[in-house]
Amino acid sequence: MKFGQDFEAALARGEYPTDWVNSAISYKKLKKCIKRVQQELLSLGLDKDTLDALWKRVGSDGSGADGRTTDSYLQYTVEDGEKVSFTPKLTIVVDPRDGSPMDAWLSPDTRRILRRLARSSNPSIDRYQRQDESPDGKPRLPNEYYSGWDTMDKRNGQSLDNEEERPLNTVEVPLTADSEFFQTLRRELACLDDLQQAEYDRLKEEITRLGSELRALRASKSKRSKKEVEVWRKVFELYSDAEVFLSSHEVDAGARDAAHAQKQFQVFNQSLAAQQKKDVLKLGQEANGALSRFLRINVNLLRLIRFQEINRIALSKIMKKFDKRTALHAKTSVARSLTKASPFMVEDLAKATCFTISEEVLNIIPQLNDYLCPICFTISWRPIRLRCGHLFCIRCMVVLQREEKDHCPLCREEVVMEATEKNIDKTMVKFLKDNFKDDVKEKQRQNEIAAGIDQWGAAYEHAQMQKCVVM
């Protein structure tokens, strides 16, 4: 199945709202424009083979066929006036004496058409004597052209040593059908930009509203609210572990494409369902409504990313088809400037939205992973803040001092041995107690066991480990 059919089928499935579909790139319409561009070029004698030959001589990087950097014999440019006003032009270098294009591969018909265009754009060409063309279609230049040029080969008009010194003129061929093509494309990209901004604003508004609800929940002192905060903490932990839109793994670090994001979102939903089945995640009616909105935000973002992807592919495909049918090399000379000016094509929507979710929602409920000791990877209970600013749990600091290791494990500064109880971060102690009560209790128990073993040996048993026997 061709891409055009796939593209239309994707838009017609009903996944996207009508205004989205109407804003999508009109792939079929642009294909028809390409046909008109072909016809216009043929009317100028510039068929695909002729243009391919010209480009081969010029080189895609502006260098000649021999690798030297030269003034290009052929250029395709687009002048950008108003926001959607384009005037594509094909510029060809011609001999100023008779208007002949400076290329040996042009057909006689093409040469005659371009010579006529050259003379109409530069009347001074008529001052030179016109020479008959040789059977191979190459012009014979007048004898006075060679005066003072000792290195010129008079048989074919080619300079043997200093070809770059030959006086040259240019002819600009305005392309009407191209104007229609690029004006249509530019208008559609502008519509997609507006659509993306509107949808992002809508998502941001929903995220901000959800964040306000979570702040109110966290500020509440009721037992029910505290339990729901713990539930939300678990939900966000599952969400962070799934890495739905952004991956931190070395293999695929960065933004995920729509297919991989969809897969990771399913992983998150499955984990969430498993926890709810175990009755681990119990939320009230209002909190369940907030969770549904959070899931809907992710679904809408996934849909927008998919829409962005298929339009990016459509743009790439239509520009590739344009170049293939016309040989104008517009994909490199024009499409790059078009896409750079279009936020819809270059902005990473997933990154922007995930940053908003993190700032407005996830950060409201502190996550345990953000407060782990970097040595033992458990909660930094009774955290010691060293002079270098790094934070560790008191138990790990005791071990380091006992082993007389003075270097900070993170920055290697000699600050460990000078640490005392005065280095305990009391503000952090209160924060950890308020937000991670159960984890703090467990860490206290582990510290007491470790201290008992240090004092009494491996046979030490913590009070909570001893069994009560009733006689």
Side-chain angles (χ1 to χ4, degrees):
M1 186 181 289
K2 294 182 178 179
F3 172 77
Q5 294 173 319
D6 291 339
F7 185 59
E8 285 196 349
L11 295 176
R13 276 197 290 265
E15 178 184 1
Y16 306 113
T18 304
D19 57 330
W20 290 27
V21 175
N22 293 337
S23 300
I25 288 177
S26 54
Y27 192 80
K28 274 191 173 181
K29 181 179 179 181
L30 292 171
K31 278 180 66 177
K32 292 178 180 178
C33 286
I34 292 175
K35 289 183 179 179
R36 290 193 285 273
V37 174
Q38 284 181 281
Q39 293 169 357
E40 183 179 17
L41 290 172
L42 286 173
S43 70
L44 296 170
L46 294 171
D47 57 274
K48 182 179 180 298
D49 292 337
T50 297
L51 287 170
D52 279 338
L54 283 166
W55 284 116
K56 284 178 182 177
R57 178 164 183 177
V58 173
S60 60
D61 58 352
S63 61
D66 58 359
R68 294 181 301 158
T69 301
T70 64
D71 290 332
S72 297
Y73 290 126
L74 177 67
Q75 292 181 349
Y76 178 73
T77 57
V78 173
E79 292 182 0
D80 188 0
E82 299 177 1
K83 187 175 182 182
V84 293
S85 176
F86 280 90
T87 308
K89 294 178 181 178
L90 189 66
T91 304
I92 300 176
V93 177
V94 298
D95 192 313
R97 298 181 179 273
D98 65 353
S100 296
M102 300 302 297
D103 191 272
W105 295 289
L106 293 181
S107 66
D109 288 341
T110 300
R111 285 182 174 277
R112 280 194 292 273
I113 292 171
L114 294 179
R115 185 182 291 113
R116 186 167 62 250
L117 285 167
R119 284 178 175 148
S120 65
S121 64
N122 190 353
S124 64
I125 289 176
D126 290 332
R127 296 202 308 266
Y128 297 99
Q129 179 183 356
R130 181 177 179 183
Q131 301 294 316
D132 293 332
E133 291 181 346
S134 60
D136 60 0
K138 297 179 182 178
R140 297 184 183 278
L141 301 181
N143 291 332
E144 62 267 23
Y145 180 78
Y146 304 108
S147 59
W149 295 72
D150 296 333
T151 58
M152 185 71 70
D153 181 354
K154 296 184 181 182
R155 290 173 299 174
N156 55 18
Q158 298 293 320
S159 170
L160 299 178
D161 298 323
N162 297 309
E163 184 178 354
E164 66 275 12
E165 295 181 13
R166 178 183 300 178
L168 302 172
N169 273 350
T170 60
V171 177
E172 289 187 345
V173 183
L175 302 174
T176 307
D178 272 28
S179 299
E180 179 188 357
F181 178 86
F182 286 110
Q183 284 176 14
T184 301
L185 190 57
R186 184 63 176 271
R187 279 195 298 268
E188 291 174 353
L189 289 177
C191 287
L192 288 171
D193 292 342
D194 294 340
L195 172 67
Q196 174 174 288
Q197 187 60 49
E199 291 301 319
Y200 176 70
D201 290 343
R202 190 176 294 115
L203 283 173
K204 190 173 181 179
E205 184 179 346
E206 291 181 15
I207 293 168
T208 303
R209 184 157 63 95
L210 177 60
S212 299
E213 293 179 15
L214 291 177
R215 285 189 182 90
L217 179 67
R218 188 161 178 256
S220 175
K221 301 298 182 181
S222 68
K223 289 184 178 180
R224 180 180 175 182
S225 296
K226 289 182 178 180
K227 287 182 179 179
E228 289 191 347
V229 166
E230 291 302 318
V231 173
W232 276 106
R233 179 175 288 116
K234 185 61 179 178
V235 169
F236 290 157
E237 182 183 343
L238 295 174
Y239 184 76
S240 298
D241 290 344
E243 296 187 334
V244 178
F245 297 103
L246 299 175
S247 172
S248 61
H249 299 289
E250 187 176 352
V251 178
D252 59 347
R256 299 186 188 276
D257 59 28
H260 285 90
Q262 178 68 45
K263 182 179 178 181
Q264 292 306 116
F265 186 61
Q266 290 175 353
V267 169
F268 166 64
N269 274 323
Q270 290 168 359
S271 301
L272 193 63
Q275 293 294 322
Q276 288 174 329
K277 192 174 182 180
K278 295 177 182 178
D279 287 337
V280 176
L281 304 180
K282 289 184 178 180
L283 292 170
Q285 186 175 356
E286 290 184 6
N288 271 320
L291 179 59
S292 297
R293 287 198 300 277
F294 178 71
L295 296 175
R296 188 168 60 247
I297 288 170
N298 284 269
V299 170
N300 290 338
L301 178 57
L302 273 170
R303 183 174 60 174
L304 188 55
I305 291 173
R306 277 196 296 271
F307 186 71
Q308 187 183 46
E309 280 186 5
I310 63 172
N311 277 278
R312 283 176 175 173
I313 295 172
L315 175 63
S316 177
K317 292 280 188 182
I318 200 66
M319 292 307 303
K320 184 177 180 180
K321 189 175 291 290
F322 183 93
D323 281 349
K324 185 177 180 181
R325 299 279 179 86
T326 65
L328 286 176
H329 290 206
K331 189 172 183 179
T332 54
S333 61
V334 179
R336 192 178 294 113
S337 62
L338 274 176
T339 53
K340 280 184 178 179
S342 171
F344 185 84
M345 291 297 166
V346 298
E347 285 187 358
D348 199 326
L349 188 62
K351 283 185 178 179
T353 309
C354 285
F355 177 78
T356 305
I357 291 175
S358 178
E359 289 295 309
E360 297 291 337
V361 177
L362 301 185
N363 287 347
I364 295 173
I365 310 293
Q367 292 297 307
L368 180 62
N369 288 340
D370 296 330
Y371 301 95
L372 299 181
C373 171
I375 297 177
C376 63
F377 296 104
T378 59
I379 191 169
S380 298
W381 176 235
R382 297 195 73 193
I384 299 291
R385 189 173 296 279
L386 300 177
R387 180 163 49 83
C388 60
H390 293 124
L391 204 70
F392 303 90
C393 72
I394 192 170
R395 180 65 191 169
C396 288
M397 285 296 99
V398 169
V399 172
L400 287 178
Q401 288 185 346
R402 185 178 299 155
E403 296 175 355
E404 297 184 352
K405 294 181 179 179
D406 195 24
H407 295 91
C408 170
L410 296 180
C411 68
R412 311 307 298 166
E413 190 173 347
E414 296 180 354
V415 291
V416 172
M417 298 304 294
E418 67 186 44
T420 65
E421 285 192 2
K422 294 181 179 179
N423 290 82
I424 293 177
D425 190 329
K426 294 181 180 179
T427 303
M428 183 61 69
V429 169
K430 184 178 185 306
F431 176 85
L432 295 177
K433 259 189 173 182
D434 291 342
N435 290 280
F436 306 103
K437 186 176 180 180
D438 293 339
D439 296 283
V440 165
K441 282 184 177 180
E442 176 60 23
K443 184 62 179 281
Q444 283 179 314
R445 190 182 73 86
Q446 292 176 3
N447 285 353
E448 289 171 0
I449 292 174
I453 292 175
D454 288 343
Q455 185 174 359
W456 305 104
Y460 171 80
E461 288 188 1
H462 191 268
Q464 294 180 4
M465 299 169 60
Q466 297 173 357
K467 295 181 180 179
C468 180
V469 179
V470 179
M471 300 300 293

